[in-house]
Structures are given as C-alpha cells and as structure tokens.
C-alpha cells in the first residue's frame, strides 16, 4: 500500500512536470518582429493598445495580418498605421502605398529609425529620416524611472508630457520644407526650468490627395504607453490625426511587404518558446516523447516496485576463545613444560616492546639504553627492570629445560607489571 502511494505521487509529479513543459512560456525579444503583437500583454506588446484604439476611435479600428494588395488597391478610404522599430519597406510595397496615399488615404508611420536613400525627396513617399540620440536599454529605462536620468518632454501645442528619456530618444528630420509639426521632444533640466534641445517628434506632409504622418518613438505606442496616464494622452492626440477614416494597423510582415506574394508569416510563433516545443512540432519525435513517458510509467508500476524477499535469520557467531584457552591450558598442564611457556611469553613480550616502544631486547649492545627507556616509560626502578630482563634471558635460554612453578609465576608477573605500566 505504501509503495502504491509513492508510485501515485511520482506519476502525479510527472504529469505536473509535463503540463509545465508543454505550456508555452512567453518571452520578450527586442527584435521588432516580436514586439507590437496584438495578443501580447507584456509591456511592449499591443494587446491593451489595440483594445483602447478599438474602443475610442470613432470610425473603427482593426488589426490586419495578411496580404495587403487587395486592401491597398481597393476603393475604400482608410487610414493605415505602421509600427516598426526600424523602418524598411520592400520596393513593391512602397509603390502600392504611394498609389494608396495619392488616392486620398492616410498613412501613419510610427518608427524608431530609418535611412533615407532617395535622391529626389519631393517624389519619395518617405522623404524623412528618424534618428536616435541614444539607444534603448532596460538599464536606462530603470534609471529614468528612478530619477537618475532627466526625463524628456513631449510638447503638443499647449500640452506638455514628461516621459522617460529611454522611451523618447528618437526624432524626425524632414527632407522637404512643406511639412507640419505636431509635437516636439526636448530634454528637461534637473530643476525643470526648461528645455535644452527641442527636436521634432511627429510631423505630417501631403502626398497626392492623401497625407503621411511620421511619429518617432514607437515604444510609446504599446501597452506601457496606454496604461501610463500621460503617455495615453499623447497616443490619443496622434491617433486623432488619422481617426477621420477607419484605422487599420498592419502587422510587421504586412507593413514591410513580405506578404504581398502570399508568404505566410506568424508573428506569434516567434514570441513563444517551450523546452519540448521542437519535439512536439515533429510527429515522429512527438510520438517518441509520448512513448517514452508511457514507458517510464509502466516501468514504475511493474518493475521499479520494491520486491519483498525473505531475509534469513543470521545467528551471531559463537565465542570459541574460552574453549581454545581451555584446550591450550589442558595441553600445557598435561605436558607441564614451564620453560616452553616462558619462552612463548617472553617472545610475545619482546614483539610487543618492539612494536610499541621501538625497543629491541635482542640488541645486547644497547642493553642499558633499553633498561633506561623502559624505566622512564613505566616509572619503575631501573634496577627492577634490569633484573627482570636478565632473569628472562637466563630462563629462556635454550639450554634451560626445567623451571619450577614459582619461578615461572614470578617471571610472568614481572612481565605483566612492565606491560601494564607502559
């Protein structure tokens, strides 16, 4: 019963781990193809931005992720909205947009940077440059929110909005003279006395019968900006410029013209990642994963269970030492060979001294040194130690064959006395 509970707990933990691994975990990527996503509720996603625009724009708002050719060549009057961190549009897409705007439609480009290569600005659809005076980083955003970096000001007519310098670090340079400025951006002094530098944050110009609006600092047009009270005012003021027509926000691939030939590109696929996503995306690997998990469960249920085995009773070994001593005593008592008993006792005594005291009693040349060392180590008198050693050498000589009981007992007692005092 106990083993079954353990198995059930392990199976439950495996199931929980599988659910966690199979769940797609949103990640944040600074690639501009993975920000401004419609269902992303991260700070620089656009879930709340799209909800706000859909609820507030009077003529409607929608998000389009597909081939824009039919929409651009249609007769409906629309306002298109681009949001690109770095603006790059395919040549065919730019031609369609130029024709679209000339018919009287509006186009708003919200971008953080671009490059202008057209030699004739008056004929170009995008005669402007968006430059950065500093690059975005989470460290600069954090320092700005903590007040370590002076903020920037977005100036719209009589309304001024303070924002973090990390989110408002790009500005627009027009290559033509006939344009209208809608907002400026400037640095704020620490004492808030005024601006040091004033740059164009948004402008517009006429192109054919339509109008093109250019807005810098696209990270403001995200969930972060919508949920920020002051920045939301700025977003609303910019969208109001194109709100007289239905507004359509184009996806990253659609805005760049990557879907004009029917190529499918899913932005949401790049914004999710799970450890088993690669295995589960391939049918053979997916079934191999399922089979492996099922095999582990079967192994635990039938093979990994503890097998009960009868453990034999192990009896403690009997102590035979007493019987052995009695046998030896009987043999020596029967033979009554006191000289041999003393020789064996003396031999053990010498080996014990050699091992414990490094004293060699067979070294007759160092006899006095051995006596002196044993006397110091045992605390006995040197005379007693010397007499004992001399007596032992005398009675253990091979020529001595008979020793009476009293002399044997005396020698053994003297050996024990030296040994016990070491």
């Amino acid at each position: 019963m106990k083993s079954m509970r353990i198995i059930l707990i392990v199976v439950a933990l495996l199931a929980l781990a599988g659910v966690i691994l199979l769940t797609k975990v949103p990640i944040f990527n600074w690639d501009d193809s993975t920000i401004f996503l419609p269902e992303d509720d991260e700070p620089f996603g656009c879930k709340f931005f799209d909800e706000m625009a859909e609820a507030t724009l009077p003529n409607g708002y929608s998000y389009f992720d597909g081939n824009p050719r039919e929409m651009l060549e249609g007769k409906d009057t629309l306002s298109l909205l681009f949001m690109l961190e770095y603006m790059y549009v395919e040549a065919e897409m730019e031609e369609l947009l130029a024709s679209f705007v000339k018919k009287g439609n509006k186009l708003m480009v919200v971008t953080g940077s671009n490059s202008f290569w057209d030699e004739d600005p008056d004929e170009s659809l995008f005669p402007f440059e968006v430059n950065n005076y500093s690059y975005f980083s989470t460290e600069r955003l954090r320092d700005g929110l903590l007040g370590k970096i002076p903020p920037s000001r977005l100036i719209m007519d009589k309304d001024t909005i303070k924002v973090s310098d990390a989110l408002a670090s790009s500005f627009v340079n027009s290559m033509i003279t006939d344009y209208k400025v809608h907002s400026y951006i400037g640095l704020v002094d620490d004492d808030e006395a005024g601006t040091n530098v004033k740059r164009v944050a948004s402008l517009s110009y006429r192109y054919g019968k339509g109008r093109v609006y250019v807005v810098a600092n696209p990270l403001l047009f995200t969930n972060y900006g919508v949920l920020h009270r002051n920045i939301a005012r700025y977003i609303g003021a910019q969208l109001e410029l194109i709100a007289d027509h239905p507004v359509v926000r184009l996806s990253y691939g659609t805005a760049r013209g990557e879907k004009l030939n029917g190529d499918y590109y899913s932005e949401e696929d790049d914004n999710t990642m799970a450890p088993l996503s690669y295995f589960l995306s391939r049918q053979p690997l997916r079934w191999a994963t399922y089979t492996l998990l099922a095999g582990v469960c079967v192994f635990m249920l039938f093979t990994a269970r503890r097998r009960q085995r009868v453990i034999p009773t192990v009896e403690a070994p009997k102590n035979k030492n007493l019987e052995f001593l009695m046998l030896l005593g009987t043999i020596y008592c029967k033979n009554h060979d006191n000289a041999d008993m003393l020789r064996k006792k003396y031999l053990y005594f010498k080996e014990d001294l050699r091992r414990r005291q490094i004293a060699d009693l067979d070294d007759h040349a160092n006899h006095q040194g051995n006596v002196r060392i044993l006397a110091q180590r045992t605390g006995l008198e040197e005379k007693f130690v010397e007499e004992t050693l001399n007596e032992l050498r005398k009675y253990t000589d091979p020529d001595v064959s008979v020793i009476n009981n009293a002399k044997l007992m005396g020698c053994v007692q003297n050996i024990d006395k030296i040994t016990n005092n070491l």
Side-chain angles (χ1 to χ4, degrees):
M1 189 65 182
K2 183 177 179 181
S3 61
M4 183 59 65
R5 286 199 302 268
I6 295 175
I7 293 174
L8 292 176
I9 292 173
V10 173
V11 171
L13 292 176
L14 285 175
L16 179 61
V19 171
I20 294 174
L21 291 176
L22 294 176
T23 302
K24 289 186 175 181
V25 181
I27 61 172
F28 184 76
N29 191 336
W30 285 111
D31 182 2
D32 56 349
S33 66
T34 56
I35 57 180
F36 313 119
L37 296 180
E39 299 299 329
D40 190 358
D41 57 1
E42 293 293 326
F44 296 140
C46 281
K47 178 180 179 180
F48 303 123
F49 173 87
D50 290 336
E51 292 177 357
M52 181 276 296
E54 185 177 0
T56 57
L57 293 181
N59 293 302
Y61 173 87
S62 61
Y63 176 80
F64 184 77
D65 181 21
N67 191 333
R69 186 182 300 276
E70 182 178 351
M71 179 176 58
L72 295 176
E73 294 177 348
K75 297 182 180 180
D76 296 336
T77 303
L78 300 172
S79 294
L80 295 185
L81 175 62
F82 287 6
M83 290 198 295
L84 301 171
E85 181 64 24
Y86 175 76
M87 182 180 173
Y88 173 77
V89 179
E90 300 287 348
E92 185 180 1
M93 183 65 177
E94 186 172 348
E95 293 178 2
L96 289 173
L97 288 173
S99 177
F100 173 80
V101 176
K102 283 181 179 180
K103 291 186 297 185
N105 298 294
K106 291 185 176 182
L107 171 64
M108 177 173 281
V109 178
V110 185
T111 183
S113 63
N114 80 320
S115 297
F116 179 76
W117 303 102
D118 203 321
E119 296 180 356
D120 189 359
D122 294 329
E123 296 296 328
S124 175
L125 176 62
F126 304 122
F128 60 86
E129 284 185 347
V130 181
N131 301 315
N132 285 314
Y133 59 81
S134 63
Y135 292 98
F136 175 83
S137 67
T138 55
E139 291 77 11
R140 290 185 64 247
L141 177 60
R142 177 198 61 200
D143 294 340
L145 296 176
L146 294 175
K148 297 180 180 180
I149 298 178
S152 298
R153 289 195 302 184
L154 291 171
I155 306 168
M156 303 179 299
D157 295 332
K158 297 180 180 180
D159 194 5
T160 301
I161 298 171
K162 290 183 180 180
V163 297
S164 172
D165 180 67
L167 299 176
S169 59
S170 57
F171 56 94
V172 185
N173 287 326
S174 177
M175 300 301 175
I176 58 177
T177 58
D178 186 14
Y179 64 91
K180 181 180 179 181
V181 176
H182 298 284
S183 63
Y184 294 95
I185 183 171
L187 296 177
V188 177
D189 292 333
D190 293 337
D191 57 1
E192 302 180 2
T195 59
N196 294 327
V197 180
K198 188 167 66 172
R199 299 184 174 97
V200 177
S202 63
L203 57 81
S204 65
Y205 51 89
R206 181 166 294 280
Y207 189 82
K209 295 181 181 180
R211 199 165 186 86
V212 179
Y213 298 83
V214 184
V215 184
N217 306 301
L219 292 182
L220 297 176
F221 288 68
T222 56
N223 296 330
Y224 179 88
V226 170
L227 299 177
H228 192 286
R229 180 180 302 176
N230 295 332
I231 299 177
R233 296 205 319 270
Y234 177 75
I235 297 174
Q238 299 301 318
L239 293 180
E240 188 178 354
L241 299 173
I242 59 173
D244 51 346
H245 304 317
V247 179
V248 179
R249 183 168 79 88
L250 301 185
S251 67
Y252 172 80
T254 302
R256 287 167 56 94
E258 296 175 355
K259 298 189 178 182
L260 286 175
N261 298 320
D263 296 335
Y264 180 74
Y265 177 86
S266 177
E267 294 175 344
E268 295 183 359
D269 291 343
D270 287 342
N271 197 44
T272 56
M273 182 179 66
L276 293 179
S277 60
Y278 179 80
F279 286 87
L280 299 180
S281 63
R282 269 69 173 175
Q283 184 176 4
L285 294 177
R286 181 168 62 249
W287 281 108
T289 303
Y290 294 155
T291 304
L292 178 62
L293 292 176
V296 171
C297 294
V298 172
F299 173 78
M300 295 183 61
L301 287 172
F302 296 100
T303 306
R305 294 184 303 174
R306 179 185 175 188
R307 296 178 178 177
Q308 300 292 336
R309 296 183 179 90
V310 178
I311 300 176
T313 302
V314 179
E315 297 182 357
K318 296 182 180 180
N319 190 352
K320 301 291 186 178
N321 292 335
L322 183 59
E323 296 180 4
F324 180 69
L325 291 175
M326 291 177 63
L327 177 62
L328 291 179
T330 301
I331 294 174
Y332 278 103
C333 183
K334 181 178 179 181
N335 295 333
H336 201 50
D337 189 355
N338 292 343
D340 185 57
M341 291 179 63
L342 184 60
R343 291 190 188 96
K344 289 183 171 56
K345 181 68 174 178
Y346 180 57
L347 179 63
Y348 178 79
F349 176 61
K350 289 191 299 181
E351 291 299 325
D352 187 40
L353 290 181
R354 183 180 292 108
R355 178 175 53 84
R356 295 171 61 184
Q357 303 297 329
I358 316 179
D360 187 6
L361 297 184
D362 292 333
D363 186 6
H364 299 288
N366 195 27
H367 175 71
Q368 293 298 327
N370 292 333
V371 171
R372 186 166 55 255
I373 290 173
L374 289 177
Q376 291 175 355
R377 299 289 176 84
T378 59
L380 301 174
E381 296 181 357
E382 292 186 10
K383 182 179 179 181
F384 170 77
V385 174
E386 184 176 8
E387 290 178 354
T388 301
L389 295 180
N390 292 333
E391 190 176 47
L392 289 172
R393 287 197 185 96
K394 175 182 177 182
Y395 290 111
T396 56
D397 189 270
D399 295 335
V400 178
S401 58
V402 178
I403 302 176
N404 58 38
N405 294 337
K407 183 56 66 176
L408 174 64
M409 292 298 296
C411 291
V412 171
Q413 290 176 356
N414 291 338
I415 291 175
D416 292 340
K417 186 175 182 180
I418 294 175
T419 303
N420 294 333
N421 282 280
L422 287 175

